[in-house]
Amino acid sequence: MNSGYAVPAVALVVVATVLVGAFGLRISRTTSDFYVASRTVGPRLNAAAISGEYLSAASFLGIAGLVLVQGPDMLWYPVGYTAGYLLLLLFVAAPLRRSGAYTLPDFAEARLASQAVRRLAGGFVVGVGWLYLLPQLQGAGLTLTVLTGAPDSLGGVIVAVVVTATVAAGGMRSITFVQAFQYWLKLTALLVPALFLILAWQADGAPRDAFDEPAAFREQRVVRVGDSLEMKLDKPLTVTVTGTVDGRTHDGTRVRLPAGTHSIDGGTRLTFAKGAPVPETRRGADDALSPSRAESRTERPLYATYGLILATFLGTMGLPHVVVRFYTSPHGVAARRTTVAVLGLIGAFYLLPPVYGALGRLYAPELTLTGDADAAVLLLPDRVIGGLGGDLLGALVAGGAFAAFLSTASGLTMAVAGVLTQDVLPSWGVRHFHVRHFRLGTVIAMAVPLAASVIVGGLPVADAVGLAFAVSASSFCPLLVLGIWWRRLTPPGAAAGMLVGGGSALLAVAATMAGLPDGGALHALLAWPALWSVPLGFLTMVLVSLATPGRVPTGTESILARFHLPEELRTEVSP
């Protein structure tokens, strides 16, 4: 890709983000402006803003990468990401807006009248937010590295600086306009190149079904292996090797590898002939920070699929950066209309990433060997079209990718900063809201994941986001569903359910990211925790609540009535 076009495109997106955010700064003055845009965001603007922040690095880069590597089974990701909003529409959107809360901890306290539950909910908001921020920074680093060869951390630093400045300057007012603008930019950045790629594919005479046959190289290709890996061959294969294979060093010699598993050291260059099959790979055991969940899908595909479905379907309603946007709606009806519009907007977007994944199997199959499958969207315009047209389309895609990182990171930082300002800074002696306190919370909200992104990495972007969904589904989904629809929920029950469900999912995520264990049934259970952690969270919340009936908060009936009665009816019946 010609960085002479892509870098200015990225710079233009960054500048446009700052300018649009500056508009929000001019009208952000009150606490309500910073937290919920004074609850004046209409359905159309709010739907575009929600779609903008929801369509993250996993949507823009990760889904295509997973489809490239593992085929059409990965289409459950976009299906789950979209269907989660249907459940949000049916069970949560309007009551959540009527709660009058600013954040999820506010909702927990309003429903259960418990500071302990509020603090616990705040801890999970921060944990899920930081876990979700990591792949955004990782994706930004990958994009800038592909474009310019810059260090992996530079892209994350740029995103962190721009997002911190935008959120700190104008809060929810600023990021609402930024995210709405970035949704349409992201849709354009995938749609326009996809149309040209499909036309080029049709004219090229390439195979019409990328998944009928195993992936193969359509031309001679030199592949540099980044980290050590194991390569599995179903039949003998002749390749030219510069580096170390199976412990033997070669210097540009042709080697015939027999069927079986072969160890490839990092830095080795392999030259594959035209028509050679793309071998299956597994990242090396010495790369402890790069455990792939692909093995779990291969060994236990049904379990992995159900785990993915449950995490994405139920995790959406508990994502802090998504939930906080519903507090900006004027009333419950507007919140429902917003959700319906979001279903249409994100549904249209998710038609596009699988196209890039399928074309990637034809034109960039070596990405399965290099471990850079998430870069398929960035590389395809140059591979398929080439020339000036490919450079310009590649620049458009690169700009859209950075818009994805900036918009999602803005929403996550806003959600985490709100909790830090309301629940953490007061424990440090800050008792009253002031703009400078919110800005301090914003800096802390971004500084921690930025530091962590330098140390932790390696999971495919969509996989990392999937783990965040699992924690969200196991902690906040039970709290929201039971808190809105079950009058017998008690503070001890809510706390125990979040700790058991969300805590166990969080431990499973930590083990998966650390590469423990490296295979077997236990690895599958930890890599896809939602299938057991979500029922565990619900069951614990219900059983402990039934065991503590005397702890049901006073005034629960009136609180639930406020959640479920339309605003105008509540006004009429109030004394």
Side-chain angles (χ1 to χ4, degrees):
M1 182 184 296
N2 188 340
S3 60
Y5 294 97
V7 172
V10 170
L12 188 61
V13 168
V14 171
V15 171
T17 298
V18 173
L19 292 177
V20 174
F23 178 73
L25 169 62
R26 296 175 56 190
I27 55 178
S28 292
R29 293 293 180 268
T30 66
T31 302
S32 185
D33 281 334
F34 272 86
Y35 283 133
V36 292
S38 292
R39 307 191 195 276
T40 57
V41 184
R44 284 182 292 184
L45 177 60
N46 212 9
I50 291 173
S51 302
E53 72 176 354
Y54 187 63
L55 298 172
S56 64
S59 300
F60 203 93
L61 301 179
I63 291 174
L66 288 177
V67 171
L68 187 161
V69 175
Q70 299 177 52
D73 286 348
M74 295 301 96
L75 295 178
W76 276 113
Y77 270 101
V79 170
Y81 289 158
T82 306
Y85 271 96
L86 182 59
L87 297 180
L88 187 68
L89 169 67
L90 295 175
F91 299 112
V92 173
L96 193 64
R97 166 58 189 90
R98 294 181 186 127
S99 71
Y102 282 159
T103 62
L104 272 170
D106 282 344
F107 168 83
E109 184 181 20
R111 171 63 177 85
L112 297 164
S114 168
Q115 280 292 323
V117 176
R118 178 192 178 98
R119 286 192 291 269
L120 184 60
F124 273 102
V125 166
V126 173
V128 171
W130 281 346
L131 183 63
Y132 209 145
L133 271 167
L134 282 175
Q136 312 311 314
L137 301 175
Q138 174 188 339
L142 170 67
T143 299
L144 208 62
T145 299
V146 170
L147 295 178
T148 66
D152 289 344
S153 58
L154 183 58
V157 170
I158 293 174
V159 167
V161 170
V162 174
V163 166
T164 301
T166 303
V167 174
M172 186 63 79
R173 284 282 191 191
S174 286
I175 67 170
T176 296
F177 298 116
V178 167
Q179 290 167 340
F181 155 72
Q182 287 172 338
Y183 167 76
W184 294 108
L185 175 59
K186 284 185 283 189
L187 182 64
T188 303
L190 278 192
L191 177 60
V192 173
L195 295 176
F196 283 96
L197 291 174
I198 291 172
L199 290 175
W201 166 62
Q202 292 286 336
D204 188 38
R208 290 294 173 262
D209 192 336
F211 302 106
D212 273 352
E213 300 294 336
F217 294 96
R218 301 185 65 246
E219 58 186 23
Q220 180 176 300
R221 179 73 65 187
V222 178
V223 178
R224 182 185 181 278
V225 176
D227 298 314
S228 61
L229 55 81
E230 293 178 352
M231 187 170 69
K232 182 181 177 182
L233 299 178
D234 294 328
K235 57 184 180 181
L237 177 66
T238 300
V239 294
T240 301
V241 180
T242 303
T244 304
V245 176
D246 295 331
R248 299 182 61 183
T249 302
H250 304 271
D251 186 12
T253 55
R254 288 177 63 79
V255 179
R256 183 173 176 80
L257 301 175
T261 302
H262 301 273
S263 174
I264 315 294
D265 284 5
T268 299
R269 292 182 180 274
L270 304 175
T271 303
F272 293 87
K274 178 180 179 180
V278 179
E280 296 181 17
T281 61
R282 184 177 186 273
R283 311 317 294 179
D286 60 323
D287 189 5
L289 293 179
S290 299
S292 173
R293 300 199 291 167
E295 288 76 25
S296 300
R297 295 191 185 103
T298 304
E299 296 173 359
R300 293 165 178 81
L302 191 60
Y303 176 84
T305 298
Y306 284 137
L308 168 63
I309 290 172
L310 196 62
T312 52
F313 276 40
L314 299 182
T316 300
M317 70 176 64
L319 293 177
H321 65 303
V322 169
V323 170
V324 74
R325 290 228 59 97
F326 286 95
Y327 302 139
T328 67
S329 295
H331 41 71
V333 174
R336 282 204 174 101
R337 288 174 180 167
T338 296
T339 312
V340 172
V342 168
L343 280 167
L345 293 178
I346 65 175
F349 180 92
Y350 279 133
L351 295 174
L352 300 172
V355 173
Y356 285 84
L359 292 176
R361 287 178 65 88
L362 297 174
Y363 293 98
E366 75 281 0
L367 296 179
T368 61
L369 295 172
T370 63
D372 293 328
D374 289 332
V377 173
L378 302 170
L379 296 176
L380 276 174
D382 181 60
R383 292 285 177 86
V384 180
I385 298 172
L388 179 61
D391 290 338
L392 293 175
L393 292 174
L396 180 59
V397 170
F402 248 76
F405 312 138
L406 290 168
S407 58
T408 301
S410 297
L412 290 165
T413 304
M414 177 70 220
V416 174
V419 170
L420 293 177
T421 306
Q422 288 197 2
D423 297 298
V424 176
L425 294 184
S427 66
W428 296 353
V430 177
R431 298 301 175 191
H432 303 287
F433 175 85
H434 192 278
V435 170
R436 67 173 179 272
H437 302 146
F438 177 82
R439 288 169 178 165
L440 175 60
T442 302
V443 172
I444 299 171
M446 179 55 77
V448 173
L450 178 62
S453 69
V454 178
I455 303 169
V456 180
L459 276 179
V461 170
D463 269 358
V465 170
L467 292 173
F469 270 74
V471 177
S472 169
S474 306
S475 54
F476 288 125
C477 176
L479 175 67
L480 288 169
V481 171
L482 295 178
I484 290 172
W485 296 99
W486 191 45
R487 68 187 69 248
R488 300 175 67 181
L489 181 67
T490 65
M498 281 193 290
L499 279 173
V500 173
S504 60
L506 198 58
L507 290 175
V509 166
T512 301
M513 296 183 74
L516 301 172
D518 61 357
L522 182 57
H523 172 71
L525 287 172
L526 296 179
W528 305 97
L531 210 55
W532 53 267
S533 61
V534 172
L536 191 60
F538 270 102
L539 184 63
T540 303
M541 209 170 278
V542 169
L543 292 179
V544 174
S545 293
L546 292 176
T548 55
R551 299 291 301 276
V552 175
T554 14
T556 294
E557 297 290 342
S558 61
I559 291 171
L560 291 179
R562 187 173 82 220
F563 289 176
H564 295 286
L565 289 176
E567 285 81 358
E568 60 274 11
L569 182 58
R570 285 188 300 159
T571 302
E572 291 172 4
V573 300
S574 62

